[in-house]
Amino acid sequence: MPGSVETRHVETLHVETLHVETPRVKTLLAAMTLEEKIGQLTMASGEMVGGRLGVTPSVAEAIAAGHVGSLLNLWGPLSVREVQRLALERSRLKIPLFFSFDVLHGHRTVFPIPLGEAAAFSPDLWERTARAAAREAARDGISLSYAPMLDLARDPRWGRMAEGPGEDPWVGSRFAEAKVRGFQGDDLATAGGVAATAKHMGAYGAVTAGRDYASIDISERSLRELHLPAFKAAVDAGVAAVMAAFPDIAGVPATGNARLLRDILRGEWGFDGIVVSDYGAVAELVAHGVAADIAEAAALALKAGVDIDMTSKAYPLGLPVALARGLVSMDEIDAAVSRVLRFKERLGLFEDPYRGLADGAGTVAPVEPPLDRDLAREAARRSIVLLTNDGVLPLAREAGRIALIGPFAAAASEMLGPWTGAGHAAESITIADGLSAALPEAAISVVAGVSIDGPDGAGIAKAVETARLADAVVLCLGEAADMSGEAASRARVDLPGCQRELAEAVLALGKPVVAVLFSGRPLILPWLVARAAAVVAAWFPGHEAGHAVADVLTGAFNPVGRLPLSWPYDVGQIPIFYAERPTGRPVDAANRYTSKYLDVPTTPQFPFGHGLSYTRFTLGEPRPTSPVMKRGDQIFVEVEVTNEGQVAGEETLFLFIHDVVASIARPVLELKDVAKISLLPGASGTARLALTGEALTFPGLDLAPAFEAGDIALFVGVSADRAHLRRTTIRLIDP
């Protein structure tokens, strides 16, 4: 019957192996049954069994039969050794398993969420926190981390914005490089490193209306210019694994998208690592409507280049049927198995299947080292962004009476945010703990007032009375940790529950109010920004939250965080980002028929790069080291910076460009470099920002890289606020 499963056509693709097989891989392939080959492509999940992490009897049997090649969500020396022994002692070919986990912003030690850490604009910090997380994860038997998440995000309704580096492809690329270096080190077989996974390849951050798992419909130009550069940077940095995204792009789900995973990732970029599906995503190809049954789903994913089926069982159930129907070939299965086996070789698993966890005979887990609190505190305080300040901050050490109010004032578990790995909330430093330690002479009263999202406002009266008796109020507000991350889209990105009612009541007292916001996205609160004496974006800072926030509030640390995204003024502006393309009718307040809203501004509440300091910097005019550039050149843009304030501080400078006339209309601003400079009070110094000719190429009319002669406007400043950028011009020549 036409259209039936039997006659449905799945395109046969030529599979090329990028590497010559090693002798071990050749030997294993020759010895393996079909079921054992598919087993290497099958990932199962650990579970709580008998009160501790392990595997169910059915998974244990599958491992012993050689029908599982890797495990998700199982960690800890005892658990890993026990399960690895099943593969090594009971399976026929004794191929070791690898163990994977979402080590997204720390493992035992939880660092700030990635969006918060991106605000530090520090590749060195990004690399160090990944290295620390890798060491802890490796001690727990993890060999593959599902990080970094590199999805460019410009819609704060999407909860997974919390997991990535923000709105800019240049920042995302630097974040990718740093995290891959940090996780993997120089040699994956060396103790203390884990394989990194660049996820989720596609354009996951562009889901319709910010709704998780929804469809994506963007142009090839947007895909190439915005969403793929960070993944290309990760591949160039040697990332070991790539994860496909859940959604479809223009009707083709990423899990079955051969154009994306095979042609671009493997073909154009030369990626030779493994591609992993997201959780259950292969079987979901049926629900997407591109596969009639599990066999077709398995065939689509395998032919697209997905090597490992994460937990959906589509490969063990569907590939034998697909092979019998002629939907896949044994060569295609062998190619995927070879990549998985080479990955295990790269991890050193055949030489040391326990990866430093002794010989597998131990029964006592090693003592866990203490948390890396120094690095966690450094990362957290460098991620905090001072959004506004009328002079109330820093708090004086003789602050007197402080009312610490709000549901986040003493909320240890909320400080960790989503994807807390193996971290324990009980080890978090609360804001109350941190502020009390920083201001031992102050009288600090702590009142929650309301819960995070509950309807009961009965505690507001007590909070108001406490604030009335205080000299200053620190108001700790935000969204719950589980309101960010996967499956946490929000149509209204404001304060949940009765928090606004609490804040309005406290603000009405006329006291100096410092609002500290905890969230995995920008919260749209123009009313609070207008009335609070200071507003601080703390994100979810991790285990050292309390100390880090106290360091910033008291001036023990001069804030350096800068926004890695545009902070909306109103939900109706979303998506909002600085790198818009020019319009033929730019905003003109005097002309109705220009690109603007009737009811709200077109500008964000805070621009990309915004962040205040407790000192004041002034910038000189930018000076390019050459007025002309060719494609292979590099020049520098130098700027004199002076600290005119009374305390030492660090300034962050951004170099933007605009291609004035091009064959394709270019964004009004494109970020090309970031520099930091630290200066003592009254001191001056020169910041240098780099610009390469290669960075001035763009996808041309045919989407091939284009380098076009003409004028390039250079802009230097402390944010993407065009009204305050310093400008100069260079000329590109193409001899």
Side-chain angles (χ1 to χ4, degrees):
M1 182 194 306
S4 71
V5 172
E6 287 73 23
T7 62
R8 192 174 168 88
H9 177 66
V10 178
E11 181 188 4
T12 299
L13 303 173
H14 178 62
V15 175
E16 295 183 0
T17 302
L18 296 175
H19 279 291
V20 176
E21 306 304 352
T22 65
R24 178 189 285 115
V25 170
K26 285 183 178 180
T27 300
L28 286 172
L29 276 174
M32 296 169 84
T33 65
L34 174 62
E35 290 75 16
E36 287 169 330
K37 289 177 179 180
I38 295 174
Q40 289 302 303
L41 311 183
T42 300
M43 179 178 288
S45 181
E47 298 181 30
M48 293 300 295
V49 179
R52 69 182 183 90
L53 274 173
V55 293
T56 62
S58 62
V59 172
E61 291 174 10
I63 293 170
H67 296 170
V68 170
S70 52
L71 265 292
L72 166 72
N73 290 338
L74 189 141
W75 70 93
L78 293 180
S79 297
V80 167
R81 288 193 298 240
E82 177 181 279
V83 174
Q84 188 70 286
R85 276 200 298 274
L86 291 173
L88 296 177
E89 297 177 5
R90 293 182 55 192
S91 71
R92 185 175 73 90
L93 295 177
K94 306 188 186 316
I95 300 172
L97 305 166
F98 72 80
F99 297 83
S100 59
F101 193 47
D102 287 280
V103 186
L104 207 69
H105 56 111
H107 184 64
R108 296 289 185 182
T109 304
V110 179
F111 300 106
I113 58 169
L115 183 63
E117 199 183 10
F121 282 93
S122 174
D124 173 70
L125 178 67
W126 300 337
E127 182 174 345
R128 286 189 288 134
T129 55
R131 170 55 34 185
R135 285 194 298 266
E136 292 182 348
R139 282 195 296 263
D140 262 351
I142 302 301
S143 44
L144 176 65
S145 165
Y146 293 128
M149 193 276 240
L150 301 174
D151 299 312
L152 179 141
R154 294 175 168 180
D155 188 336
R157 293 174 299 182
W158 187 52
R160 303 201 79 165
M161 170 180 274
E163 304 171 31
E167 74 173 54
D168 185 79
W170 185 92
V171 175
S173 297
R174 305 295 82 75
F175 190 84
E177 294 160 352
K179 290 298 181 183
V180 170
R181 288 194 304 267
F183 279 121
Q184 297 189 172
D186 297 326
D187 182 358
L188 278 180
T190 302
V194 299
T197 305
K199 69 178 191 182
H200 312 81
M201 188 159 170
Y204 196 0
V207 287
T208 300
R211 198 173 67 250
D212 212 352
Y213 317 119
S215 183
I216 298 162
D217 199 351
I218 60 172
S219 69
E220 180 78 4
R221 179 170 302 283
S222 292
L223 184 68
R224 295 273 185 173
E225 284 198 74
L226 303 177
H227 298 280
L228 293 187
F231 291 93
K232 175 63 161 58
V235 169
D236 290 345
V239 73
V242 169
M243 181 184 289
F246 279 119
D248 70 276
I249 302 175
V252 183
T255 307
N257 195 321
R259 167 74 176 144
L260 189 68
L261 302 178
R262 187 201 64 199
D263 297 350
I264 295 176
L265 177 63
R266 294 203 187 279
E268 292 182 27
W269 300 352
F271 176 68
D272 64 350
I274 57 169
V275 175
V276 187
S277 83
D278 211 332
Y279 196 101
V282 177
E284 290 172 11
L285 292 174
V286 177
H288 274 286
V290 297
D293 59 14
I294 202 71
E296 285 192 8
L300 281 173
L302 184 78
K303 295 172 90 67
V306 175
D307 300 313
I308 295 179
D309 167 19
M310 184 193 291
T311 75
S312 84
K313 299 183 180 179
Y315 278 6
L317 296 177
L319 282 182
V321 180
L323 185 65
R325 290 183 191 169
L327 300 179
V328 297
S329 69
M330 186 61 75
D331 284 346
E332 290 169 324
I333 292 173
D334 284 352
V337 175
S338 295
R339 286 190 289 267
V340 173
L341 293 176
R342 289 201 306 269
F343 174 66
K344 291 183 176 184
E345 284 187 319
R346 189 178 174 192
L347 289 170
L349 284 169
F350 289 101
E351 290 72 30
D352 180 11
Y354 297 99
R355 284 178 55 88
L357 301 181
D359 61 1
T363 57
V364 179
V367 176
E368 279 294 330
L371 301 184
D372 195 341
R373 290 197 176 273
D374 288 344
L375 182 57
R377 185 169 182 168
E378 178 189 355
R381 63 188 189 180
R382 293 189 73 84
S383 74
I384 293 170
V385 182
L386 180 58
L387 296 173
T388 68
N389 183 24
D390 70 359
V392 67
L393 293 178
L395 298 173
R397 295 197 66 81
E398 60 280 2
R401 295 169 297 178
I402 295 176
L404 185 59
I405 291 174
F408 291 85
S413 62
E414 301 299 335
M415 296 298 101
L416 301 187
W419 298 110
T420 56
H424 301 300
E427 296 178 292
S428 296
I429 306 299
T430 67
I431 307 305
D433 293 337
L435 206 57
S436 296
L439 298 173
E441 304 301 319
I444 300 175
S445 300
V446 182
V447 180
V450 298
S451 65
I452 293 173
D453 59 350
D456 186 1
I460 293 176
K462 180 180 178 182
V464 169
E465 189 56 32
T466 302
R468 191 189 312 277
L469 300 174
D471 300 306
V473 179
V474 176
L475 194 54
C476 298
L477 307 169
E479 61 180 4
D482 64 4
M483 292 179 180
S484 288
E486 187 174 353
S489 297
R490 298 183 63 203
R492 297 181 178 89
V493 283
D494 53 10
L495 295 175
C498 296
Q499 290 187 68
R500 178 165 183 171
E501 184 181 347
L502 169 68
E504 295 271 19
V506 170
L507 289 165
L509 296 174
K511 299 280 184 175
V513 173
V514 176
V516 183
L517 303 178
F518 298 89
S519 66
R521 49 163 65 88
L523 298 179
I524 300 175
L525 309 169
W527 57 272
L528 180 64
V529 171
R531 296 176 62 189
V535 180
V536 176
W539 317 106
F540 293 112
H543 269 128
E544 282 292 297
H547 289 320
V549 169
D551 286 343
V552 169
L553 296 187
T554 62
F557 182 79
N558 195 347
V560 299
R562 303 292 182 261
L563 292 177
L565 41 66
S566 304
W567 191 293
Y569 175 85
D570 189 273
V571 71
Q573 297 175 316
I574 295 171
I576 188 168
F577 48 93
Y578 79 85
E580 294 183 332
R581 295 186 193 275
T583 170
R585 295 190 176 188
V587 177
D588 181 351
N591 185 349
R592 178 186 180 95
Y593 298 98
T594 57
S595 183
K596 60 177 186 263
Y597 300 107
L598 294 178
D599 49 352
V600 298
T602 57
T603 52
Q605 181 84 69
F606 303 108
F608 174 93
H610 174 78
L612 303 181
S613 169
Y614 293 144
T615 191
R616 185 177 69 259
F617 295 96
T618 57
L619 307 184
E621 294 300 322
R623 305 183 307 272
T625 54
S626 173
V628 296
M629 282 189 73
K630 298 190 294 295
R631 184 168 187 155
D633 289 348
Q634 180 182 49
I635 68 169
F636 294 92
V637 181
E638 299 179 338
V639 183
E640 192 78 6
V641 184
T642 301
N643 181 354
E644 295 188 344
Q646 302 301 309
V647 295
E650 176 183 289
E651 185 59 289
T652 302
L653 282 80
F654 300 91
L655 171 63
F656 301 100
I657 67 108
H658 174 55
D659 193 337
V660 180
V661 178
S663 57
I664 299 292
R666 305 304 299 146
V668 292
L669 292 176
E670 295 179 75
L671 182 64
K672 295 302 176 184
D673 200 15
V674 176
K676 289 178 174 287
I677 185 169
S678 297
L679 294 169
L680 295 172
S684 296
T686 301
R688 300 186 89 207
L689 299 116
L691 183 65
T692 65
E694 195 62 33
L696 298 175
T697 63
F698 61 89
L701 290 167
D702 59 357
L703 296 179
F707 181 88
E708 298 179 354
D711 289 341
I712 299 290
L714 307 181
F715 300 89
V716 177
V718 297
S719 77
D721 180 357
R722 280 182 277 164
H724 294 93
L725 291 170
R726 302 296 183 95
R727 173 177 174 157
T728 188
T729 304
I730 61 171
R731 186 160 186 81
L732 300 189
I733 57 175
D734 191 13

